[in-house]
Every structure is written in C-alpha cells, then in structure tokens.
C-alpha cells in the first residue's frame, strides 16, 4: 500500500509541472502584454513608467526566465498581486473564495450520489420495465438541459412567480443582524436553488453510469451463485452486486471533478455567489493575469488531489489494484 | 467492422431502424439542418430589425415567441441562432476530432516514449477545469465566433485521442495489418488505409455526441457574454437578455433554452443510436 501511494504521489510531480507550463503558455500566447490593460486605464502613463511596470512584473526578461521566476514564487504560494484596483495578493483573494465553492460542490456531490445511486440501481434491477424507460428518458433530458437555462427557469418560477426563494447572493441584506439560527436558515434559503441545479446538472451522468456498472455486475457468475444459494434478491443486489458495481463509480467521481469546478463559473455568476468561479469570471473580464494564472493552477491542482483521493479509495476497495501493476 | 462494405450498412440500418429514439434524433437533426439552411425564408422578420414601439411583447400571433428588449422578433432570432449553434458545433468538433485523431494515431501506432509524452500531455490537459481553461483562452484572445470554435476544439480533443489510441492498439495487432506490412506497405499507408477506416465507427459516435457538448458549451459562453457577440443572434446570448429581463419577459428565457435542449437531445439520441447499432454485443 505504501509503495503504491508513494508511486502515485511521485507521478503527480511531472503532472504538476505540466500544469504550470500549460498555464504559463496559455497566458503568454495571448497577443499584447499583461500590463497593457493596467496601463490603458490611465492614459497619462509615460513610456518610462511603462518600462518601470514591466520591470516590476519581470516582463522585460526572456520568457523562460519569467517562467522559472513565476514557478519559484508559486512554490512559496505567492501568485503575485491582483491587477484589480484593490491590488491584493492573489493567494488571499482565492483563499477567501475557495471554501464557498468547495462546500457547495461537496454538498451537491453528496446529494448527487444519494439520488443517482438508487436511481441507477433501480433502473438496472428493473431493466426494460416502464420504470427503466422512464429513467432513461429522464437521463437523456438531463444530459441535454443547459443547466444555466434550468437555473433561469427555476429562478423565474420560485423566485419571481411564487416569491418563495431569493434568487441571488448567499445572504439577505442585513442578515448579519439576525440570530445564528435565523442567519443559517436565511443562507439555506439562498442555497436551495444553486445546489439543486448543481445536483441536477450531474445527476444524469452518474445514474446512467451506475446503471451500466450494475448491469455489468449482475451478469457475473458470482451473482448467479448467490441467487442459486437461495439468497433473497435484496441481499444479492445490495450486498453482493452493489459493492462491485460501486468500484467504477469511484473513478467516475475523479473524472467529474474538473467539470464540477469549471461549472462553478456558471452557477456562481447566475446566482451571484461569491465563490472561486465568480472571482475567475471577474478576473477574466478584467484580464487580471495573476489571478487567472493562480486560479487555473489551483483548479487543476484540486483536480489532481481529487483524482489521487479517488485512486486511493479505489485501491482500498479493490486489492487487485494495490498489488497488481498500476 | 468495416464501414466500406455494403453488408455493414445493411446490418447497421437494420438495427438502427428499430431504435425509435435514435430515428427521432436523426429526423430532428435533419430538420435543424433544413431550418438553418432555409433560415432567411422561414423567418417572418429580419432578426436584427429593431422596433422601439414593440419592446418586450409577450408571444402572440404576429410574434410567436414575443419580442426582446429592442423589439426584435425572438422567433426569427432563435431560427437564425440555429445556424450559429450548428456551425460552432460542427467546426469545434471537427477541430477536436482532427487533433484527437492525429494524437491518438501517432501515440497508438508508434508507442514508446512518444506515446508516453503525448499521453501525459492528455492527462495534464484533463486536469484543468475545462470551463476555466476555455474562459481564460477566449478572454485573452478577444471573443469572436472563430476563437470560440477554436478554443472549444482545442480543449475537447483529449477523449478522442484516448479513444483512437485504444482502437489503434487493438487494430494494429490484427492479421491484416501484418499482411499489409509483409507486402511492404509504408507506415503512412497502413495508418490511413488500414487502421483509420477500421477505427472510424467509434469515432463517428464520439463526434456525434461531441456536437451536443460543443453546442452546450457555446451557449454557456454566449450566455456569459464571452461567446458569440451581439448583434449576431445565438441561443446563449438571447438567454442573457432573458436573465436581465427575467421578471418581465419569461419568453426570452424559455424558447432559446428549449431550442438548445431539443438540439442537444437530438444529437445525443442519434449518437447513442449509432453506437448501439454498431455494437454487436448489444444486439439482443
């Protein structure tokens, strides 16, 4: 197990290196210089001041020197200062946004699993019945629905038409004067729609995946054996089949992470949630280069960690992976 | 299966025909093509014609899907949006297929360190939250329809590369490749004459499913204001007005979204139908 873990972690190093290289390349492929935007805001900047700013950001040096310097600063978790008017360190700006995005995603993920697994199992067990067909239709529609559109419809219906739920932000105005219980309730009301839409967004994929994984397992000989022993169908499905069918789902979880994190841009922009996605969107609109680079690297890093966790879970669940070739 | 034989088509069609969902998807896709070709004839009004006296009108007999905040006919804009969506979907998927196929072929056929490097590159690209990468690239390059197609293509080829590589790995061990080699066929000839045609079927499935994904991505980008730029109508940027006028004009939100839903659904059904018809294991 230790060797497997060590190997797996060592493999992260070239990936991390590649992530920084691609991020750097993406930013520097763009025409114009990162400081152009900052300078163009104040037309009075002279050529000399321009040069000073370029030197300040190290833009007068050759690209590979810039890359190494950037890498060195990043190793110390210093992503530079934001180009936004507040000019704060990018690390601070990201750090205060990450908890919101992560916790929303985790809650949505838990709900997604809680719903998708039973749906998938049910569809597999009742294969080709009306229920299975109904679920299949739901899955196909779920795949095709643009989530931001669904968000708009729900905002219209529950927010505008019925007036039950607030449609933007995560707190009401003046909620800081409420007691802790009321404050929490207020926040929950704000989060129902975003989390609901986020959950729905990935529900279809997972339930479909669970269904096919379950169908695959049910065909196996050991399931026939379990049935032949006269075990009740419930035990066969929930004890013998489910465990094995869950294995590929762990990998699926790892693969779906980049989509989840990336999707936060859309949800957070629509619902005005102050998370990392919204920060990134604002950064992109203002061409805040240090911020864009920082979030790209951190977003990819989170995915790496997520994949690592998924792999570790998988190897715990399936000894074949641990002991066999990786 | 070799898609060049007529036997292949008869087996394929026999199985595809029985799948009503897939047929429906195919019909809708065909209709969408017709609509986008005939857009100027079908649309009752100029999609760009502004009318200050008919702002935000609800759907009626003269404006089937109402009007937007500038008095433009939403129905006409949605119809013209079909063009943009199909266009972006096809070109973006074409780019992704081209890159993915090339990487997958080279990687699978030559193997060795070349394969390792290319596949690590794929791993790295897959680490980035795709939407973040797309946003960053578009914002730095100034949004235009060309940039969008390019960026969606450049960020979505990795799955194709893996798929093609896996196909190549299995095909290159077959006897007919050995036969081709033994009569002195060049690598290029083996790759393009013998391997690629035999890998074409799963690639077709991936491409069809990819179009739906690309259309969804384009609409999300346009919705966020960094995709297709107004006044060019796209389903995504009509929805932007839909959000701005959510409290007064539900029709601005409802119809373009339905168009996206139906289109993506049709492509997915078609793609899945093709997959099922191609996969002999699924024939019951």
């Amino acid at each position: 197990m230790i060797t497997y873990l060590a190997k797996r972690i060592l493999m992260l190093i070239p990936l991390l290196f590649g992530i920084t290289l691609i991020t750097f390349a993406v930013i520097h492929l763009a025409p114009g210089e990162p400081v152009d935007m900052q300078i163009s805001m104040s037309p009075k900047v002279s050529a000399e001041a321009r040069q000073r700013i370029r030197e300040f950001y190290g833009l007068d040096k050759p690209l590979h020197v810039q890359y190494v310097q950037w890498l060195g600063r990043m190793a110390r978790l210093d992503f530079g200062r934001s180009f936004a008017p507040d000019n704060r360190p990018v690390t601070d700006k990201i750090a205060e946004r990450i908890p919101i995005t992560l916790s929303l995603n985790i809650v949505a993920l838990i709900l997604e699993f809680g719903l998708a697994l039973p749906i998938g199992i049910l569809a597999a067990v009742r294969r080709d019945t009306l229920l299975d067909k109904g679920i299949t239709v739901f899955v196909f529609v779920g795949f095709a629905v643009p989530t931001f559109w669904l968000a708009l419809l729900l905002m219209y219906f529950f927010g505008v038409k019925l007036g039950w739920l607030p449609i933007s932000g995560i707190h009401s105005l003046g909620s800081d004067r409420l007691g802790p219980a009321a404050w929490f309730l207020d926040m929950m009301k704000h989060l129902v729609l975003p989390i609901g839409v986020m959950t729905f967004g990935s529900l279809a994929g997972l339930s479909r995946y669970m269904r096919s994984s379950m169908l695959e397992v049910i065909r196996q000989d050991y399931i026939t054996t379990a049935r032949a022993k006269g075990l009740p169908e419930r035990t066969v499905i929930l004890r013998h089949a489910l465990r094995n069918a869950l294995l590929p789902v762990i990998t699926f979880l790892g693969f779906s992470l980049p989509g989840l994190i990336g999707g936060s841009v859309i949800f957070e922009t629509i619902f005005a949630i102050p998370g990392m996605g919204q920060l990134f969107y604002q950064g992109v609109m203002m061409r805040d280069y240090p911020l864009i680079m920082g979030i790209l690297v951190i977003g990819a890093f989170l995915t790496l960690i997520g994949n690592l966790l998924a792999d570790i879970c998988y190897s715990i669940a399936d000894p074949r992976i641990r002991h066999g070739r990786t | 299966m070799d898609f060049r034989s007529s036997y292949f088509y008869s087996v394929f069609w026999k199985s595809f025909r029985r799948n009503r969902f897939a047929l429906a998807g195919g019909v809708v896709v065909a209709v969408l093509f017709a609509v986008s070709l005939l857009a100027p004839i079908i649309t009752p009004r100029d999609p760009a014609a502004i009318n200050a006296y008919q702002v935000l009108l609800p759907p009626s007999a003269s404006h089937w899907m109402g009007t937007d905040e500038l008095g433009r006919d939403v129905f006409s804009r949605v119809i013209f949006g079909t063009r943009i969506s199909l266009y972006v979907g096809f070109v973006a998927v074409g780019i992704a297929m081209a890159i993915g196929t090339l990487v997958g072929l080279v990687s699978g056929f030559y193997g060795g360190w070349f394969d390792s490097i290319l596949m690590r590159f794929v791993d790295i690209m897959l680490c980035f939250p795709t939407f973040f990468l797309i946003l960053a690239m578009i914002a730095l390059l100034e949004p235009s329809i060309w940039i969008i197609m390019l960026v969606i293509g450049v960020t979505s080829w990795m799955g194709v590369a893996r798929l093609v590589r896996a196909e190549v790995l299995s095909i290159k061990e077959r006897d007919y490749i050995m036969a081709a080699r033994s009569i002195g066929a060049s690598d290029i000839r083996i790759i393009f004459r013998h391997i690629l045609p035999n890998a074409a079927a799963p690639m077709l499935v991936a491409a069809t499913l990819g179009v739906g994904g690309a259309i969804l991505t384009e609409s999300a980008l346009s919705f966020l204001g960094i995709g297709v730029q107004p006044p060019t109508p796209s389903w995504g940027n009509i929805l932007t007005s839909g959000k701005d006028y959510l409290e007064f004009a539900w029709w601005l939100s409802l119809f373009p979204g339905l168009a996206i839903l139906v289109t993506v659904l049709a492509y997915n059904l078609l793609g899945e139908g093709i997959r099922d018809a191609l996969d002999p294991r699924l024939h019951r």
Side-chain angles (χ1 to χ4, degrees):
Chain A
M1 184 70 198
I2 303 279
T3 7
Y4 173 75
L5 250 181
K7 251 195 218 160
R8 201 55 196 71
I9 290 175
L10 270 179
M11 270 167 61
L12 290 186
I13 296 171
L15 287 182
L16 261 178
F17 190 70
I19 288 170
T20 58
L21 203 60
I22 289 181
T23 305
F24 192 80
V26 163
I27 300 293
H28 288 268
L29 274 180
E33 270 194 344
V35 288
D36 285 352
M37 185 80 170
Q38 220 182 14
I39 294 168
S40 64
M41 281 181 196
S42 42
K44 280 181 285 185
V45 180
S46 65
E48 185 208 344
R50 188 190 154 87
Q51 189 57 31
R52 255 207 324 274
I53 294 177
R54 292 187 71 218
E55 272 169 33
F56 179 73
Y57 287 108
L59 293 169
D60 51 340
K61 302 200 176 65
L63 273 185
H64 61 275
V65 178
Q66 284 187 44
Y67 174 66
V68 172
Q69 282 181 345
W70 178 64
L71 212 58
R73 274 189 285 126
M74 228 171 28
R76 283 171 271 136
L77 282 180
D78 173 12
F79 288 96
R81 282 177 180 279
S82 164
F83 283 179
D86 60 3
N87 207 22
R88 292 173 52 210
V90 168
T91 318
D92 293 1
K93 287 184 93 160
I94 297 176
E96 68 189 24
R97 299 289 192 115
I98 278 188
I100 298 178
T101 301
L102 276 190
S103 41
L104 284 186
N105 270 314
I106 288 171
V107 174
L109 210 58
I110 292 171
L111 286 175
E112 183 196 330
F113 268 77
L115 290 169
L117 297 192
I119 293 177
I121 296 168
L122 216 60
V125 174
R126 304 265 161 85
R127 188 182 182 178
D128 290 334
T129 60
L130 205 63
L131 182 74
D132 180 29
K133 287 187 178 132
I135 290 174
T136 305
V137 170
F138 161 78
V139 162
F140 269 97
V141 173
F143 266 130
V145 169
T147 40
F148 59 94
W149 175 63
L150 186 68
L152 281 186
L153 292 188
L154 293 177
M155 278 163 87
Y156 176 74
F157 192 69
F158 290 108
V160 178
K161 197 98 192 182
L162 296 175
W164 288 355
L165 294 167
I167 56 175
S168 86
I170 55 171
H171 296 295
S172 300
L173 260 155
S175 66
D176 41 344
R177 274 177 280 124
L178 296 168
W183 180 84
F184 186 73
L185 194 73
D186 174 64
M187 187 171 77
M188 283 296 115
K189 272 177 99 173
H190 280 82
L191 293 182
V192 169
L193 284 183
I195 289 182
V197 177
M198 285 165 85
T199 308
F200 182 84
S202 32
L203 200 57
L206 186 59
S207 26
R208 178 106 177 136
Y209 198 78
M210 187 65 211
R211 175 180 180 271
S212 53
S213 171
M214 197 72 184
L215 282 177
E216 188 68 29
V217 171
I218 289 180
R219 282 206 317 231
Q220 303 292 320
D221 288 343
Y222 55 81
I223 296 300
T224 317
T225 311
R227 280 183 181 145
K229 280 199 300 189
L231 290 177
E233 186 64 16
R234 214 187 143 74
T235 321
V236 174
I237 296 299
L238 293 184
R239 286 193 61 110
H240 296 247
L242 181 59
R243 285 199 180 182
N244 290 289
L246 275 177
L247 282 177
V249 172
I250 300 175
T251 331
F252 181 86
L253 177 62
F255 278 123
S256 63
L257 275 174
L260 284 182
I261 300 175
S264 60
V265 175
I266 301 172
F267 297 120
E268 290 175 7
T269 312
I270 296 179
F271 289 107
I273 293 168
M276 201 163 80
Q278 194 197 41
L279 182 69
F280 188 71
Y281 179 69
Q282 290 162 350
V284 160
M285 293 318 249
M286 294 182 57
R287 292 191 166 210
D288 189 342
Y289 288 70
L291 187 75
I292 295 175
M293 291 170 92
I295 295 188
L296 271 183
V297 171
I298 288 183
F301 183 69
L302 286 177
T303 311
L304 266 188
I305 299 291
N307 280 333
L308 178 68
L309 288 179
D311 275 1
I312 292 175
C313 290
Y314 202 117
S315 73
I316 291 171
D318 187 349
R320 282 172 303 186
I321 301 289
R322 231 177 313 161
H323 299 301
R325 297 189 312 131
T326 45
Chain B
M1 271 199 273
D2 190 334
F3 72 95
R4 286 168 298 188
S5 73
S6 60
Y7 171 71
F8 168 82
Y9 287 106
S10 76
V11 170
F12 175 80
W13 177 241
K14 227 178 182 170
S15 150
F16 187 82
R17 200 178 47 189
R18 268 182 292 153
N19 186 341
R20 272 171 297 160
F21 284 122
L23 273 183
V27 170
V28 172
V29 168
V31 169
L32 285 167
F33 267 99
V35 163
S36 66
L37 279 177
L38 302 175
I41 304 171
I42 302 172
T43 49
R45 290 183 174 72
D46 178 359
I50 293 172
N51 187 338
Y53 298 104
Q54 301 194 324
V55 170
L56 293 177
L57 293 180
S60 62
S62 61
H63 296 282
W64 293 353
M65 298 183 183
T67 61
D68 68 2
E69 75 277 15
L70 296 174
R72 295 174 296 194
D73 183 44
V74 176
F75 178 68
S76 305
R77 294 183 69 71
V78 168
I79 293 291
F80 270 90
T82 314
R83 276 189 169 183
I84 300 289
S85 289
L86 293 192
Y87 195 32
V88 172
F90 264 79
V91 178
V93 167
I95 294 172
M97 291 303 292
I99 303 176
T101 307
L102 196 68
V103 171
L105 281 176
V106 170
S107 207
F109 190 78
Y110 291 106
W113 60 270
F114 218 74
D115 176 41
S116 317
I117 290 183
L118 284 174
M119 284 304 112
R120 285 303 80 71
F121 184 57
V122 167
D123 290 344
I124 293 166
M125 286 296 288
L126 283 172
C127 280
F128 285 101
T130 320
F131 211 71
F132 279 15
L133 202 57
I134 292 177
L135 278 185
M137 290 169 97
I138 290 181
L140 299 173
L141 293 168
E142 297 290 340
S144 78
I145 186 162
W146 294 104
I147 292 294
I148 292 158
M149 297 190 283
L150 189 72
V151 169
I152 296 179
V154 163
T155 51
S156 57
W157 54 272
M158 291 83 79
V160 180
R162 282 187 168 174
L163 175 87
V164 172
R165 177 176 174 272
E167 286 292 317
V168 174
L169 284 180
S170 99
I171 294 171
K172 80 172 179 183
E173 301 301 328
R174 303 218 181 126
D175 290 342
Y176 57 82
I177 301 296
M178 178 81 89
R181 228 184 255 289
S182 69
I183 56 169
S186 65
D187 283 0
I188 297 290
R189 187 176 166 85
I190 291 178
I191 290 178
F192 289 100
R193 285 288 297 183
H194 300 289
I195 294 184
L196 197 55
N198 284 292
M203 286 167 61
L204 176 68
V205 176
T208 314
L209 294 174
V211 172
I215 290 176
L216 275 180
T217 308
E218 179 274 320
S219 67
L221 287 171
S222 300
F223 174 71
L224 288 176
I226 39 185
V228 176
Q229 297 297 307
T232 308
S234 104
W235 294 335
N237 69 29
I238 304 173
L239 280 169
T240 314
S241 322
K243 180 181 189 291
D244 294 343
Y245 296 92
L246 191 63
E247 285 155 67
F248 323 104
W250 54 266
W251 53 92
L252 276 179
S253 295
L254 183 67
F255 297 114
L258 272 181
I260 301 172
L261 172 63
V262 169
T263 308
V264 177
L265 188 60
Y267 271 103
N268 288 352
L269 288 175
L270 182 63
E272 295 270 336
I274 297 174
R275 165 183 295 163
D276 291 352
L278 287 173
D279 191 345
R281 278 177 308 166
L282 292 173
H283 290 174
R284 272 172 282 146

